[in-house]
Amino acid sequence: MSKTAELARDSIKVKGMFRVHIEEDGKIVGDSGWKQNLITNAGHNQGIVMSLGGITGSSQITYAALGTGGAPAQSATTLSGEVSTNGSGSVVRAAITAASSSNSSALVNTATFSSANSFITATASISNIGLFQVSGPTTASGSLYAGNTYTSSSLATNQNVNITYTLNFS
């Protein structure tokens, strides 16, 4: 990392929190509670430093993913145990809706994994989450921007997952 990038990383602090809700028939049946995130090296470099400078290769958060693995390392580019469809190996990601206000230093990302889209085809124990910089929802391309783990929750095929992932800049 360049000296300029190191200074920007030291000067701008990014702390985030996420929450995962499992929903069935309109009722919350599982809640991770608010958990702190980890911003990966790629998230810092491509998502913050390079984006602020409008540098070629910068990228924005576009999708969220769920997984069955542990917490990502600082250098991770993938999410351990990322949920895939019906044995095909294609990852399943939900499009992010991002929002901020003029008087806020937070970026609020929300997404829904809908059971109507058959994002899982068998009961799974989900335990991690990640935000990705990627161009499509069903490809394994892109880089893990941020993520972390939470207490494992059983997810059935008839349940939705709603996520809120807030990044606070100071």
Side-chain angles (χ1 to χ4, degrees):
M1 186 180 293
S2 72
K3 187 66 173 169
T4 304
E6 286 180 36
L7 289 173
R9 188 172 179 178
D10 289 341
S11 300
I12 299 173
K13 301 292 184 194
V14 182
K15 285 192 172 187
M17 302 292 284
F18 68 87
R19 187 172 211 159
V20 177
H21 279 153
I22 298 175
E23 175 190 310
E24 185 176 339
D25 297 327
K27 296 179 183 159
I28 303 299
V29 296
D31 183 354
S32 68
W34 285 103
K35 304 289 181 189
Q36 197 164 10
N37 74 281
L38 167 86
I39 305 287
T40 64
N41 293 339
H44 277 287
N45 188 34
Q46 296 168 347
I48 300 172
V49 176
M50 291 172 69
S51 288
L52 288 172
I55 298 169
T56 301
S58 65
S59 55
Q60 292 74 42
I61 299 167
T62 50
Y63 288 91
L66 299 171
T68 60
Q74 186 73 42
S75 60
T77 57
T78 60
L79 186 65
S80 176
E82 188 170 345
V83 173
S84 61
T85 59
N86 199 15
S88 70
S90 297
V91 297
V92 179
R93 295 180 177 157
I96 288 288
T97 300
S100 183
S101 64
S102 60
N103 61 356
S104 173
S105 59
L107 174 65
V108 180
N109 300 284
T110 57
T112 297
F113 294 84
S114 175
S115 63
N117 295 334
S118 300
F119 74 97
I120 63 168
T121 57
T123 299
S125 292
I126 55 173
S127 57
N128 62 8
I129 184 173
L131 296 180
F132 280 83
Q133 307 159 319
V134 66
S135 59
T138 58
T139 64
S141 64
S143 294
L144 179 65
Y145 180 95
N148 215 338
T149 189
Y150 51 92
T151 303
S152 180
S153 296
S154 181
L155 177 65
T157 59
N158 66 328
Q159 295 174 322
N160 301 321
V161 177
N162 301 312
I163 66 127
T164 302
Y165 212 117
T166 303
L167 300 172
N168 298 300
F169 295 81
S170 61

